[in-house]
Amino acid sequence: IMNKSKKSPPDIHLVKLGEENCEDCDGILECICANLSDEITTEIKPLSSQLGPFLDGDYLVRRGDRFKSYFLVKSGVVRSETVSYNGRNKVKWFYFPGDLIGMEAISEGFWPADLIITRTTLLCEISVADLERAAHTFPEIQSRLFKCFGQRILNHEHSLASDYSEASITRVIEYLLQLYDRLKNTEYVSGPWLQLPMTKTILASYLGMSAETLSRILAKLEKEELIVNNPQSIKLNDRDKIRRSMESN
């Protein structure tokens, strides 16, 4: 997977099967393999290898690498990153616990972007051929894959529409609310507090703005008492009030 001429390989190891149980996975509620029958689980589990830990900044794959495996995020965060027309790095997507990584590489057979570890991460890996066979054998897996593909398309379309049509402050508010809802069953959410799983510089890149612009927007929201803005966390004081505030921006 790694292109060693560009970067030294990360410090990774295979976790022994059985050392980590699916029930202990941070992403179990979102995983395509969650709550399957014992018969399917018995067939699927031996097909996957557990990888990690990957450390912040490690490259999982490089743009142009051949697409050989899907990855499921057990814990941590992975980001998809490309280089824009002006030579700047651009964050395209985040993958959180339970997310399936690989759909974007299906059509061409090569990874279209770098996959970079954003928080210390554990993954499950399953080969493309094995997952295709499992989906063919078990309609439940195929159905979940279709739903996963459809949701990803919907999310990408919404993200593109937001980038081009909404004001910067609206994009920030909307994404913070979406992120809170997405991560509410993980370690990143505690009460009204959202622990950011990425730096604010990386978040700004994803939202299509400079770090300075994001900082000004967060300061404005804090002045309006909608949030409490800490270096690595944000408190959403009243989510309903925050949603209503988007109508005036």
Side-chain angles (χ1 to χ4, degrees), residues 150-244:
Q151 187 62 52
R152 185 65 53 79
I153 292 171
L154 183 64
N155 289 343
H156 273 284
E157 287 181 345
H158 179 76
S159 177
L160 287 172
S162 299
D163 282 350
Y164 289 104
S165 66
E166 294 177 350
S168 295
I169 190 170
T170 301
R171 296 206 302 274
V172 172
I173 292 172
E174 189 170 33
Y175 188 69
L176 289 177
L177 293 171
Q178 289 175 358
L179 194 60
Y180 181 94
D181 289 339
R182 173 63 180 83
L183 298 177
K184 61 185 177 183
N185 293 310
T186 73
E187 62 181 305
Y188 298 109
V189 170
S190 178
W193 284 96
L194 170 65
Q195 180 75 22
L196 291 176
M198 72 288 287
T199 67
K200 289 178 180 175
T201 299
I202 291 174
L203 176 58
S205 174
Y206 173 73
L207 294 172
M209 61 186 66
S210 67
E212 292 77 13
T213 297
L214 176 60
S215 179
R216 287 195 297 270
I217 290 172
L218 293 176
K220 181 178 186 296
L221 294 174
E222 186 168 42
K223 185 176 181 180
E224 295 173 357
E225 299 184 345
L226 295 175
I227 68 170
V228 175
N229 180 31
N230 285 346
Q232 292 297 324
S233 60
I234 293 175
K235 181 184 180 184
L236 306 178
N237 288 330
D238 185 331
R239 295 196 300 283
D240 289 334
K241 185 177 179 181
I242 293 172
R243 287 187 180 93
R244 291 195 297 272

Side-chain angles (χ1 to χ4, degrees), residues 13-22 24 45 50 52 74 122:
H13 65 276
L14 286 175
V15 180
K16 294 180 181 178
L17 290 175
E19 191 176 51
E20 293 285 340
N21 295 320
C22 289
D24 299 326
K45 192 170 183 180
Q50 297 182 44
K74 285 179 61 67
L122 290 172

Side-chain angles (χ1 to χ4, degrees), residues 61-168:
V61 300
R62 292 278 188 174
R63 183 163 54 97
D65 285 348
R66 187 173 295 279
F67 175 47
K68 299 179 181 178
S69 299
Y70 290 93
F71 301 97
L72 279 161
V73 182
K74 285 179 61 67
S75 63
V77 182
V78 180
R79 70 183 183 273
S80 173
E81 190 171 291
T82 60
V83 177
S84 65
Y85 69 91
N86 59 7
R88 294 182 180 178
N89 290 342
K90 168 63 179 172
V91 177
K92 302 294 291 183
W93 202 254
F94 293 108
Y95 298 94
F96 300 112
D99 283 346
L100 177 69
I101 307 176
M103 287 174 285
E104 62 272 43
I106 293 174
S107 62
E108 298 295 331
F110 295 91
W111 290 95
D114 295 327
L115 294 178
I116 306 173
I117 304 304
T118 304
R119 293 286 292 263
T120 301
T121 296
L122 290 172
L123 301 160
C124 286
E125 179 184 25
I126 184 168
S127 75
V128 172
D130 282 343
L131 188 56
E132 287 178 352
R133 280 193 292 269
H136 179 74
T137 304
F138 302 107
E140 296 92 336
I141 293 289
Q142 185 180 77
S143 177
R144 291 196 182 185
L145 283 174
F146 283 147
K147 288 180 180 178
C148 190
F149 293 169
Q151 187 62 52
R152 185 65 53 79
I153 292 171
L154 183 64
N155 289 343
H156 273 284
E157 287 181 345
H158 179 76
S159 177
L160 287 172
S162 299
D163 282 350
Y164 289 104
S165 66
E166 294 177 350
S168 295

Side-chain angles (χ1 to χ4, degrees), residues 7-55:
K7 185 180 178 73
S8 298
D11 179 17
I12 63 175
H13 65 276
L14 286 175
V15 180
K16 294 180 181 178
L17 290 175
E19 191 176 51
E20 293 285 340
N21 295 320
C22 289
E23 292 75 15
D24 299 326
C25 175
D26 291 347
I28 187 61
L29 295 177
E30 304 290 337
C31 180
I32 62 168
C33 296
N35 300 318
L36 293 174
S37 68
D38 291 341
E39 176 191 4
I40 299 176
T41 301
T42 300
E43 293 290 332
I44 293 294
K45 192 170 183 180
L47 301 178
S48 66
S49 298
Q50 297 182 44
L51 302 177
F54 293 88
L55 304 180

